[in-house]
Every structure is written in C-alpha cells, then in structure tokens.
Amino acid sequence: MSPSPERRRELLSTAAEVFAAQGYNATTVRRIADEAGMLAGSLYYHFDSKESMVDEILSTFLDELWAGYEAVLGAGLGPRETVEALVTESFREIDRHRAAVAIYQKESKHLSAQPRFGYLTESQRRFERAWLGALERGVAEGVFRADLDIRLAYRFLRDTVWVAASWYRPGGQHSPEEIARQYLSMVLDGITPRERQERP
Amino acid sequence: MSPSPERRRELLSTAAEVFAAQGYNATTVRRIADEAGMLAGSLYYHFDSKESMVDEILSTFLDELWAGYEAVLGAGLGPRETVEALVTESFREIDRHRAAVAIYQKESKHLSAQPRFGYLTESQRRFERAWLGALERGVAEGVFRADLDIRLAYRFLRDTVWVAASWYRPGGQHSPEEIARQYLSMVLDGITPRERQERP
Amino acid sequence: MSPSPERRRELLSTAAEVFAAQGYNATTVRRIADEAGMLAGSLYYHFDSKESMVDEILSTFLDELWAGYEAVLGAGLGPRETVEALVTESFREIDRHRAAVAIYQKESKHLSAQPRFGYLTESQRRFERAWLGALERGVAEGVFRADLDIRLAYRFLRDTVWVAASWYRPGGQHSPEEIARQYLSMVLDGITPRERQERP
Amino acid sequence: MSPSPERRRELLSTAAEVFAAQGYNATTVRRIADEAGMLAGSLYYHFDSKESMVDEILSTFLDELWAGYEAVLGAGLGPRETVEALVTESFREIDRHRAAVAIYQKESKHLSAQPRFGYLTESQRRFERAWLGALERGVAEGVFRADLDIRLAYRFLRDTVWVAASWYRPGGQHSPEEIARQYLSMVLDGITPRERQERP
DNA sequence: GATGAATGAGAATTCATTCAT
DNA sequence: GATGAATGAATTCTCATTCAT
C-alpha cells in the first residue's frame, strides 16, 4: 500500500507546508487535500493517517539532518570549528527543509509524548550531547569563555539557530551560508565591537 | 453576567497554564474546567468563549509588558543600556507571566489573523520599532558593531529572549535578572574570550 | 462523566435493541441516537464509544447470568436436575435480556478477539466447564446415555438453548419456563415416543 | 465483462471464507482481494459488487441444497426416515459449503430485507414446509411423540443442525454422516437412556 | 485481466457552546 | 454560580466503487 514514492513526496511536501503554516492540530486533512487538488479521503490511499504524514515528514528530515551532523562531528574539527560547522549545517537544513524544521520546532514537544515519536526525544538527546560536547571542549581548550554557563549557552545556540525557521524564506537575498556567518559572528564575538577583531 | 474579577483571574490563570502546556487548539474547554474543578459549561458563566479567554490572557500580559517597556524606553538611556534594560525587563515578564509568554510565542502568529487579535500585530510592530531603534542608535553611536545586519540582529535578540519561555521555570535556581545578565553577556560580548574584557 | 444511571440504562436498552436487530457493526451510532430521540453526538455525553456500549450491555448481562448459574451450580443438585435448572435459568435470561443474548450470540466471537472483551472468552470457558461437568457426572451416574459424545452433546445443548434468543419474543404465549419444559422434554427424552415414559 | 467461470469460483470461494470468518459487513472488498492476491479494484472485473458476491455464494449454495433436499423429499420415505435423511443431507451440505452455510446463518436475516435476496425468504419458507410436513406426518403416524409442539420442534431441529456450521471443521475426525447419526440419536431418542433402545 | 489512483458517501468521534433547572 | 444534558458543526478515517492506462 505504498505506491509511487514520487507522489508521496509531492503530497508530503504539500502537507509539510500546511502543517508549518497552520500548526499540526489546526491543519485539517481536508485542507491538505484541497492544496493537493484531491479529496480528503484520497489521501488515505497514500498514507495511513494524518499522524503518519508528520511522522514521515519529521523522520525524513531528521535522517538527513543527522547525516549532515555526523559528517561534521566525525571530521575531527576543533571545538570552535565544530560549532561553526554545526551552525552552518543547521542553516543549510533550514534552507532545504524549512517546513519540516518549523514543524519540528512547534510540534515536537507534544508529539514526542507518543511512543511512535520516541525518535524525537532520542534525536534531541543526541543533539544536546553533540552541542554540549563541543562547548565543553571549547571551554577546556580556552577557545570559549571560561565563565560560560554551558547549559544556558547550549539553549541559547540551539534556539537561536532553529527559531530562524519561523522567518527564513528560501530563495531570499541571503544564502544559508551567509546567514550562518552573520549568526556566528554575533554568537562568537557578540554585538559590541571588539578592540582587536581576531577575524577581520 | 457579573462575575467576580478575582474568580476570573483564577480561572484565567488556570486556563493560561493549560494553553501553555498543550497549545490553544489542543486545549479543550473541558480540560480547563476539570483543572478548575468545575464543568465545562460552567466556564461560560465567566467567559463568552474559549477565544475570549486567550484574548484576556494575552491582552492583560501585553498591557503589563508595555508598561514595563515604556518605562525603559522613556528613561532616556543610551542604546546599550536600553538593550540591557529591555532584555532584563523581558526576563522579568517571563518570570511573572511564563504561561502567557509561551502562549504568545506559539499562538500569536495564527491568532493575529483574526481582527479581534489585531493588537497582537500592533504590539509586534511597536516591539520591532523599539528594538530596531535601540540597535540603530547603538550602531550610529559606535557601541554596537558597525558590520551588524540590524534586522538579523533584531530577530536574533527577539527570539533568543522569548524562546526562553519554553524552558524557563519560575522559582528555579536562576533569578530572571541572573539569566538576563548571562544572556546579555553572550549577546553583547560573544561566547569567545575577549583579550580585554570590559566587564570583568 | 457517568451521570444519572437511569438514563444510561434507558439508552443501553435502546442500543441493545438496535444492536440485536441489525448487528453491532451494521448499527450506526446515529441510528441508536435516532431511536433515543437525540443526536448522535449526544450519546457521547453518556458513553465513551459505541464499543463501550456493547461492553456494558454484555457485561451487565453476563453478570446477571452468572449470578443465576452459580445459584444453580451451588445448590447440590443431581446432574439431570442441574441440566434442567440450567436450561430453565437460560430461558429466563433470554426472557429478561433477549437483546443482550442475541448480541452475545452473534458478536461474541469477533468481539472476544479484543482484550477489552476478554471476559467473553472467560465466560465461555466457565460455561463449558459447568455444562461438561454436569453431563459427565450424568453419564457416570447412569442418568445420561453412556454412548453420548459429551462434547457434541454440550454443543448441542448450548446452541439449542441460546439460538432461541433469535426468535423468542418476550410476552408471547409461552412463558420461559414453559419453553424450557418443552425443550427439556425433547432433549432428554427425544422426539420419538418412549414405550414407558418415565415422566408421564 | 466475460470472465472465466473457474476464476469466479475460486474468487467466490475465497470471498465466502472471509465472509464466514468476519461477517459480511465487517469484510472489506480489499480484504477479499488481498486474500486472492489482487487489488480491490480488480475484483470488479469479475463481479458487479460486494453484494453480488454474497448473492452468488448464497444462491449457488441454496441451489445445491435444494437439489439434495428435493431428492430426499421425492423419495417417498416415511416421516422418521425423511427427518433422518434431511439431517444427514444437511450435515453433508455443511461439510461441502461450510462457509456458505455460516454466511447464510449469520446474514440471511438482514440480507433478506432487500428484494434482491427475496429467494432467501422463499427458501426459508420451503424449508419450513418440508420440515413441518415431515414432523406432522410423523406425529399423525405415531412415530413422533403426540405431545410435541410442532413449531417448537421445528425450530429446535433447524437450529440444532445449522448452528453446527459455526464450529464444524471439514476434514475433522467425524464425518458428516457420523455427526448426523449422533445428532439424530440425541434428537430422536433424547440424552437419557431408554429402557429398550429400539436402535441398538 | 489487473493496477493505480482517485471519488464520495458515510462512519465514529470531538468539542465549543447553549440553556433549563 | 454551577450542573446536566443536550446540540450541531467539524474532524479523521473507512470503504465500495470507478476508470483510465
């Protein structure tokens, strides 16, 4: 019962757009079907349920995300470069999967209560480990400030990055790499001028 | 219909807690009533509708918020001090109105589509003006970096601050002022060490 | 959420009647509501689901049935008298709970697949034990024929009795006791004449 | 639409099995198709509708049944021998058409409400006439007990026989003839011992 | 003969809301 | 002020059926 993967992908893309715009709960199956030019019932030829749609949207996104993250984490970079690469990779994911990221942001908290979405919690934990690790190493090596509250900094970075999905529009004037650079500049060096910028 | 204001406030506080925890749409009137120890129908003695509950929650919060903000904005502070004061004030609001802030974060986008919630859009605009103003002045006066993308920095600050409502728990180990200080330290000076820290 | 037991009982009685007449699956909640003079949704004020309606119908019936059966089984009767009393009791139950019995007959097989209806299987086992026990003792004591295939005889009795629910109409010309007597006469003595009837 | 009769028969046999196991209403066309190794839509090359499937299953069965019954009824047997032959024939039909019999038992009542299935009602009437005739003649000739309530006895026999379809499994240890003999023994002579068994 | 993709008419269920008591 | 019992509209989902390929 899972024919033509292309059609599925199209429909999932439509669904993701609507979920991101209106929220998962507030989105009716009928609305998705309208957007896809079919009747509500017809969606059930392709998917088991509304839930399985978000499921597929989120898990597909997270699989890709982790492929990118793992590449970064396995590259043997220093802590500062790791943070830079993770942030850049994140903005690239936002660029590619804006809708999925927005859904992840808004819905993962209550979705993860269900066993089916256990992988969300799991992913969050991996996420935390990756970031905290980089930050800790950075502090130890003196490339990040010693007075940093690591957990606070982690939340700060995490939120700062992902929240961008709520306003970012792909194809805008800034490339994801450009936005990443600006974010990093603020995060790493702050918004006040440094006497001597180490990155001119 | 002439209910006591105290009872209303109690009920709104209960409602806010549930809205924040589960989301506005996902929250049933019955759930609120359960939490308040009454039956769903009984809430309608106090309120016109579920919508009027969020309405009152949000507008009460925004009124207080703007009272605080206006005090800051009218105090004739320099741009850096203005930013510091706005951030601190924001964390204080999060401390006092955590639930309302969380609701505002999650729901304002789709609620503001309705005329009734026009004040949300209005508030957002004032918000933007206040922050952008401070940032621009800061850049002009040289207390903020000249290479800053002002709009990006605005979003960065705004999101960074409010998103905290999603994890902040009042009565925790850090006071709002303490959290504000740490956030500001990161935002202003960055997470990498400065050769000469101007705030030792 | 389970108010006024009288209303519940009325509604369950209505529901049972419809379930018995049309079958559980073929009965729509709307049909039950129509019959009860309300809208479909209103039933959900009283019951969780269609399923919980049959559940309550069947378990209430079985509770009463077993109260009657246990009285018989605990009375220390001989095997023939036990069989007579069980049959009579069964027809009394059909008289009182015709609809429930009909539902039990038609639906228990597929309902018992669900964990929630495990008690149906359990009940069936107790049932079997009670009847088989009486038949075995009867054969051992010589009051039932020695050449009897006990399991076949059990099925024969069981089906014979319960199937009556499909045509029996309470308030007809025969009382349940009268029908029981006739059934027993056929079952015990057969439909051919005995040379010397031991029950003249 | 000119499909091969053999394929039809195979498909109908599959369908009958599923209908018998799950009930007509509860059986989806998709389930039948699954079992037959095709897609739901493909069944419509062979059959007009789900309804026409049961129709063909039941009418085929009844045609065969009546062929057997007519042979018995036209053989000029005495009433007791007629009853014996009808019962035996019935168990043979159960052996051959277990699924169809089970469907007939469970569904004929509500199917017969539709004009298309008028032949079910018709068949039932013929059925009743055949059995009542044999019983009446038997009572008149003194081979059945004079105190018999004929209609009750009829129902008793009818149900007793057909209900067996719900537990009978072809290819089990008892042949249909063997089961018929045991049933007849119980029905004719009762389950209590006779002083002088006339059939040793 | 069969598939893939749809349709459209319900189905059960949920829920904000109403209102007589 | 609150309860009990409803309403009615919307929602997700199911399924027999159709039909171009």
Side-chain angles (χ1 to χ4, degrees), chain A residues 87 131-132 135 145 148-163 183-184 186-191, chain B residues 87 91 156-161 163-164 167 179-180 182-191:
Chain A
V87 165
W131 282 93
L132 284 182
L135 289 170
R145 286 166 51 184
L148 226 49
D149 179 325
I150 298 281
R151 296 202 59 84
L152 208 63
Y154 158 61
R155 290 204 193 98
F156 178 76
L157 281 164
R158 176 195 63 184
D159 299 343
T160 285
V161 166
W162 292 123
V163 126
Y183 258 75
L184 281 167
M186 286 189 279
V187 166
L188 294 171
D189 295 332
I191 64 173
Chain B
V87 166
F91 280 103
F156 178 76
L157 282 165
R158 175 196 64 185
D159 299 343
T160 285
V161 165
V163 129
W167 54 260
I179 293 184
Q182 297 238 26
Y183 258 74
L184 282 167
S185 165
M186 286 188 279
V187 166
L188 295 171
D189 296 331
I191 64 174

Side-chain angles (χ1 to χ4, degrees), chain B residues 27-190:
Chain B
T27 298
T28 69
V29 164
R30 192 158 167 289
R31 180 67 208 281
I32 299 171
D34 278 359
E35 217 75 28
M38 49 171 41
L39 290 181
S42 309
L43 279 173
Y44 288 79
Y45 178 78
H46 302 276
F47 305 99
D48 284 350
S49 63
K50 182 181 163 186
E51 209 179 73
S52 79
M53 291 188 226
V54 229
D55 193 348
E56 199 162 334
I57 290 166
L58 289 177
S59 55
T60 301
F61 155 64
L62 283 177
D63 286 350
E64 273 205 46
L65 177 71
W66 278 107
Y69 272 24
E70 290 300 351
V72 169
L73 296 171
L77 303 173
R80 179 181 172 128
E81 289 69 28
T82 300
V83 164
E84 289 176 344
L86 285 178
V87 166
T88 307
E89 178 61 23
S90 299
F91 280 103
R92 282 206 197 96
E93 296 297 337
I94 291 176
D95 188 53
R96 263 200 296 263
H97 298 290
R98 195 193 82 270
V101 174
I103 296 166
Y104 180 73
Q105 279 287 105
K106 253 196 281 195
E107 319 289 352
S108 75
K109 198 160 117 207
H110 73 262
L111 285 179
S112 60
Q114 297 169 252
R116 164 174 212 166
F117 292 95
Y119 62 88
L120 293 175
T121 320
E122 171 55 27
S123 177
Q124 202 193 312
R125 257 197 286 273
R126 279 171 79 186
F127 211 78
E128 190 170 339
R129 247 177 285 133
W131 281 92
L132 283 183
L135 288 170
E136 273 159 10
R137 275 172 46 224
V139 169
E141 298 178 16
V143 302
F144 296 138
R145 288 166 48 184
D147 63 338
L148 228 48
D149 179 325
I150 297 281
R151 296 201 58 84
L152 210 60
Y154 158 61
R155 291 206 192 98
F156 178 76
L157 282 165
R158 175 196 64 185
D159 299 343
T160 285
V161 165
W162 291 123
V163 129
S166 68
W167 54 260
Y168 182 73
R169 292 290 163 269
Q173 43 187 0
H174 301 297
S175 71
E177 287 80 8
E178 170 64 18
I179 293 184
R181 210 165 40 73
Q182 297 238 26
Y183 258 74
L184 282 167
S185 165
M186 286 188 279
V187 166
L188 295 171
D189 296 331

